[in-house]
Amino acid sequence: LPLIACERSAGAEEILQDIQQQTAKFAAASVSMGAVGEDLVLPRWFAGEWACAGELFKVESGPLGTIALAKTLPGVPDALLASNRAVGTDAGDLRARRRWSETQRLAPGGSPGAVEDPSG
């Protein structure tokens, strides 16, 4: 991506946001294609069974996020509190086997890719 320098003035914030969005799109396009997990298409070499690990390192909601979620979903404040307590503990660790299958759907670069097998 080209480096763009500009002074902060009227409209500069919009330009900065546009640059950040374009950078994020470019970075994501080189790894996968799709907006949600079910739509992700990874490069074909990803096909196979993988051991995956993850760690919860932060739980955060926006200024009104907890209130908005609590109005929509019962138990959200308790769930967020439990998630916060899991940070840095075994409860915040995830280990799983995942399987990706070959597909004719296009991966980044335009060649057939791999998609996650929903059965595991």
Side-chain angles (χ1 to χ4, degrees), residues 19-95:
I19 292 169
Q20 289 170 336
Q21 289 173 351
Q22 294 301 322
T23 301
K25 285 180 188 177
F26 177 79
S30 64
V31 176
S32 65
M33 296 181 75
V36 295
E38 295 81 21
D39 293 339
L40 293 179
V41 180
L42 299 168
R44 178 64 62 97
W45 62 261
F46 211 81
E49 190 169 298
W50 292 73
C52 302
E55 179 181 352
L56 179 64
F57 67 93
K58 187 176 186 180
V59 177
E60 186 176 273
S61 62
L64 300 175
T66 303
I67 295 168
L69 286 171
K71 288 180 180 179
T72 311
L73 303 167
V76 165
D78 292 335
L80 287 173
L81 185 60
S83 295
N84 270 313
R85 288 186 184 135
V87 173
T89 70
D90 288 346
D93 292 342
L94 165 73
R95 286 178 177 53

Side-chain angles (χ1 to χ4, degrees), residues 94-107:
L94 165 73
R95 286 178 177 53
R97 290 203 177 278
R98 295 284 190 256
R99 185 175 300 118
W100 280 265
S101 303
E102 293 182 0
T103 182
Q104 291 305 310
R105 291 173 53 200
L106 299 181

